[in-house]
């Protein structure tokens, strides 16, 4: 009888150790992969910096031709501020979309102004340089490496057994740079 209880105890201890090692391995592995995703955040920050610069340039030109109370000008400034100050990626992504739409509309509005047509330098900015910069920065945002890595991580994390174990121990999905569903700029 004593040998039997020792064998059962050894078996239970073995199962507990296997379970603990599975949990520990899942936690360590997924935590390391999550850190790798977070290190690519620098590429996204560089892209957003370019977006802020394009927005600031458009606002500089717009302020020379529109009153400070112009709704589009105020909207673009608010989106730019939100993009700068928000910490949540979904909120920043929403601000980025709002900024994109606002900058495009602001450029369209500026093109209609007689004062812009009379200013050769600003006309060149609004009709050539700024639209190109806006389009290029939008493409860069769409192709940011961070989102690709976060998406790959989340897909693997959500579909694997070890990912579910790691979630139990506090490892979280990677936040993506996408606006909340159903939001429109």
């Amino acid at each position: 009888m004593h040998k039997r209880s020792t064998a059962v105890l050894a078996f239970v201890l073995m199962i507990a150790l296997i379970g603990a090692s599975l949990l520990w391995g899942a936690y360590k592995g997924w935590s390391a992969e999550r850190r790798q995703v977070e290190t690519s955040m620098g590429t996204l920050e560089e892209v957003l910096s370019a977006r802020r610069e394009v927005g600031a340039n458009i606002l500089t030109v717009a302020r020379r031709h529109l009153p400070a109370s112009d709704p589009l000008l105020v909207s673009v400034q608010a989106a730019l501020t939100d993009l700068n100050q928000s910490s949540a990626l979904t909120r920043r992504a929403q601000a980025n979309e709002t900024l994109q739409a606002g900058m495009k509309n602001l450029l369209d509005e500026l093109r209609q102004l007689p004062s812009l047509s009379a200013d050769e330098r600003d006309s060149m900015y609004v009709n050539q340089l700024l639209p190109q910069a806006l389009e290029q920065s939008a493409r860069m945002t769409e192709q940011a490496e961070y989102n690709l890595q976060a998406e790959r991580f989340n897909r693997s994390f959500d579909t694997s057994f070890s990912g579910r174990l790691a979630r139990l121990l506090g490892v979280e999905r990677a936040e993506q740079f996408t606006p909340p569903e159903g939001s429109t700029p």
Side-chain angles (χ1 to χ4, degrees), residues 12-84:
V12 169
L13 185 58
M14 177 188 71
I15 296 296
L17 288 173
I18 288 172
S21 65
L22 281 173
L23 288 170
W24 181 249
Y27 176 80
K28 292 288 283 181
W30 286 107
S31 293
E33 283 195 43
R34 178 87 159 63
R35 278 191 300 278
Q36 285 180 337
V37 170
E38 289 171 358
T39 60
S40 70
M41 179 66 81
T43 61
L44 181 60
E45 289 301 331
E46 289 174 15
V47 167
L48 293 179
S49 178
R51 295 290 280 172
R52 289 189 293 269
E53 188 175 315
V54 171
N57 289 338
I58 290 173
L59 284 173
T60 298
V61 173
R63 287 184 183 120
R64 290 195 287 254
H65 299 277
L66 294 170
S69 61
D70 182 82
L72 265 175
L73 197 134
V74 170
S75 171
V76 168
Q77 180 60 56
L80 193 58
T81 300
D82 208 17
L83 186 63
N84 283 332

